[in-house]
Amino acid sequence: MSRIVVVTSGKGGVGKTTTSAAFATGLAMRGYKTAVIDFDVGLRNLDLIMGCERRVVYDFVNVINNEASLNQALIRDKHVENLHILPASQTRDKDALTPEGVGRVMDDLHELGFDFIVCDSPAGIERGAHMAMYYADDAIVVTNPEVSSVRDSDRILGLLQSKTHRAERGESVREHLLITRYSPARVQAGEMLAMEDILEILAVPLIGVIPESQSVLQASNSGAPVILDKVSDAGQAYDDFVRRFLGETVPHRFLEVEKKGFFKKLFG
Amino acid sequence: MSGELVEIKGEMTLLSVLRLASANLETIQEKLQNKRDSLPQLFDNSPLLVDCSPLGEACLTLDMLGLREMLLTLGFIPVGIRNIAEECVEKAMQAGWSVLRAGRATGAPSRLGRSVEPEMVAIEPKVTASTATSVKVVDRPLRSGQQVYFPEGSLVILQHTSAGSEILAGGSVHVYGSLRGRVLAGIGGDTSARIFCQKLEAELVSIAGHYRLLDDMDTNLKGSPAMVWLDGEKLKITPMF
Ligand SMILES: Nc1ncnc2c1ncn2[C@@H]1O[C@H](COP(=O)(O)OP(=O)(O)OP(=O)(O)O)[C@@H](O)[C@H]1O
Ligand SMILES: [Mg+2]
């Protein structure tokens, strides 16, 4: 079976799409046939981050409504092999996503031999978020180091264990916590929650900590997922996260305030 | 030891149930306001359960968000809603309600104590202190927005409960992780029910309707293992041993 992974958070703007793009790219770079689906009906974003917005012809809702075949709608990624993007619809109403329709697309992707299906969830706890998590085997819960984000992630964790196909069958969705936009300096200054506090509140296994980084904005402006930027801290942190997801033991990095060298102190 | 004992006064004695016979928020508010003005001590900050069974079809037109906000403005703490049409469940949850599953006790508001009926203004505390016997074990963390409702007996939560979660049990409640949400034990009036936890960080604790917000309480047991119990009319928080 294809392994279905939802990237979800509850709160908006915490880095779900950034993470979905990096994660799917990282899996594909390691040879896994991967599809990444944008569930954010009406607010399509993933195609921009992946740099394929000009090649969108058909979308997820077209496929669900049988207006296009899955093969017609899947966009081949231009950066790495084995990676395909299924963009969200711009205009359709949110009720277009149904459990049956989404289930059929998942089955078809499985038939096409995909190893991983990454579902980029919209914010909130409404239909779109529910549909994105419904068939998931694993969930990457994206949290920023602030109280409201942690609270929303907690709600999402509750929904994952009650409102998913797995939960309905008495199984559970594997939970992984990914802390993004982590700024050790701001944690030290007491402006943000520390990693330990977040873990204490959520009690979910930590799969990665992505630092707050300029490189993320640069990457999204150039339409290339940040994981491709091998020198950036965020790119490296995302790469570590993918390796941990695939079972490797990789120590966490970028958790401490960087000690500035003499030149850095002088020139920033 | 006795120096650490904290005495807490219970202001409310039972969990009130508001039985809605109209979906018109203005009507409800007016009735409740009258009620509150005549008996303010009964309603101030009191947890309230809304029962929609008399509403029937009209439930579909009920403004869930508006209702919740109105109750909060009136000084209630809306703890849950029950007997709503299946079609309304999602709407209710989105409005922040904990939806109680249709179960044994639904439709029998007297089990939970006093019932407030805005159409008929009489409030009659029908208390049946039940000796609840069975035990339910919850092996997952109780997350924000989740609720366990177990009027039949005691609840054992093996992991933590989050801020924004709710536990309602007929008997005692045992939490083997941090207790951060709201917890109401003895909801059928059992004054011998107790709350036990490994780490007390609850928002609200209640036994047989005697409730307190933890923030209002002067206890040095926050963050420590603790037990909440009723000593006569007094809610006490003490170390377990
Ligand atoms: N590690 C990071 N460092 C700096 N900026 C980041 C980081 N991660 C994400 N961002 C920025 O945060 C913003 C939101 O990111 P993104 O679109 O991935 O979030 P989202 O959770 O998908 O949002 P939505 O809920 O709207 O779908 C973007 O501007 C992105 O560049
Ligand atoms: Mg997004």
Side-chain angles (χ1 to χ4, degrees), chain A residues 126 155, chain B residues 23 25 59-73 78 81 88-97:
Chain A
E126 285 154 43
R155 291 202 77 159
Chain B
L25 288 192
C59 182
L60 295 172
T61 63
L62 185 63
D63 173 2
M64 298 284 179
L65 195 61
L67 176 65
R68 195 176 157 83
E69 279 167 0
M70 185 261 281
L71 292 174
L72 284 166
T73 340
I81 194 162
C88 303
V89 170
E90 185 147 329
K91 194 172 65 169
M93 298 208 315
Q94 274 166 22
W97 284 101

Side-chain angles (χ1 to χ4, degrees), chain A residues 12-264:
Chain A
V14 297
K16 294 179 291 297
T17 302
T18 304
T19 298
S20 300
F23 181 46
T25 303
L27 291 169
M29 284 189 317
R30 286 176 173 74
Y32 295 101
K33 188 169 176 184
T34 305
V36 55
I37 308 179
D38 189 347
F39 275 77
D40 208 341
V41 173
L43 275 174
R44 150 169 125 198
N45 241 319
L46 181 68
D47 49 337
L48 283 171
I49 308 269
M50 307 280 298
C52 66
E53 72 279 8
R54 295 154 73 89
R55 290 185 290 144
V56 174
V57 183
Y58 295 109
D59 59 52
F60 191 17
V61 172
N62 291 133
V63 179
I64 286 179
N65 293 345
N66 292 313
E67 293 153 358
S69 73
L70 189 53
N71 266 318
Q72 282 176 307
L74 283 173
I75 302 171
R76 188 181 289 275
D77 184 66
K78 64 180 177 197
H79 305 287
V80 289
E81 284 208 32
N82 303 314
L83 180 56
H84 293 77
I85 300 125
L86 188 53
S89 162
Q90 283 283 39
T91 52
R92 307 297 183 103
D93 70 315
K94 299 196 192 298
D95 293 338
L97 299 181
T98 59
E100 301 72 39
V102 174
R104 202 159 32 79
V105 174
M106 296 295 169
D107 288 345
D108 291 352
L109 285 168
H110 170 63
E111 291 294 313
L112 290 174
F114 280 94
D115 299 305
F116 288 101
I117 303 170
V118 177
C119 304
D120 179 18
S121 175
I125 54 172
E126 285 154 43
R127 190 179 191 93
H130 184 204
M131 284 301 105
M133 71 168 65
Y134 188 69
Y135 291 102
D137 300 304
D138 292 74
I140 309 293
V141 176
V142 181
T143 303
N144 287 170
E146 47 172 288
V147 174
S148 61
S149 173
V150 174
R151 173 67 76 97
D152 283 3
S153 292
D154 196 55
R155 291 202 77 159
I156 282 288
L157 285 160
L159 298 180
L160 282 167
Q161 303 307 355
S162 59
K163 293 264 180 170
T164 51
H165 193 49
R166 274 184 167 249
E168 286 167 9
R169 287 176 302 174
E171 298 165 3
S172 62
V173 177
R174 275 184 296 267
E175 304 163 336
H176 314 270
L177 178 68
L178 182 72
I179 302 174
T180 60
R181 309 200 68 162
Y182 195 72
S183 164
R186 296 191 63 186
V187 169
Q188 205 172 60
E191 297 165 7
M192 280 186 162
L193 289 175
M195 180 190 80
E196 295 77 16
D197 302 334
I198 302 174
L199 288 174
E200 151 85 16
I201 296 173
L202 293 177
V204 171
L206 180 71
I207 197 159
V209 180
I210 312 296
E212 170 80 18
S213 167
Q214 278 291 320
S215 58
V216 172
L217 190 62
Q218 284 158 15
S220 67
N221 285 338
S222 62
V226 70
I227 196 168
L228 295 170
D229 181 352
K230 299 238 158 64
V231 294
S232 72
D233 48 359
Q236 291 176 23
Y238 271 120
D239 202 66
D240 289 355
F241 146 63
V242 175
R243 288 167 58 196
R244 281 185 210 107
F245 185 83
L246 293 171
E248 285 182 49
T249 307
V250 184
H252 292 281
R253 299 192 268 169
F254 314 112
L255 300 177
E256 304 299 329
V257 180
E258 210 181 313
K259 289 192 189 65
K260 288 197 173 180
F262 177 67
F263 284 101
K264 271 202 166 168

Side-chain angles (χ1 to χ4, degrees), chain A residues 151 154 158 172 200 202, chain B residues 140 143-144 146 162 180 199:
Chain A
R151 173 67 76 97
D154 196 55
S172 62
E200 151 85 16
L202 293 177
Chain B
R140 288 236 179 79
R143 302 285 181 184
S144 178
Q146 288 189 318
S162 296
R180 301 200 188 95
K199 200 168 175 193

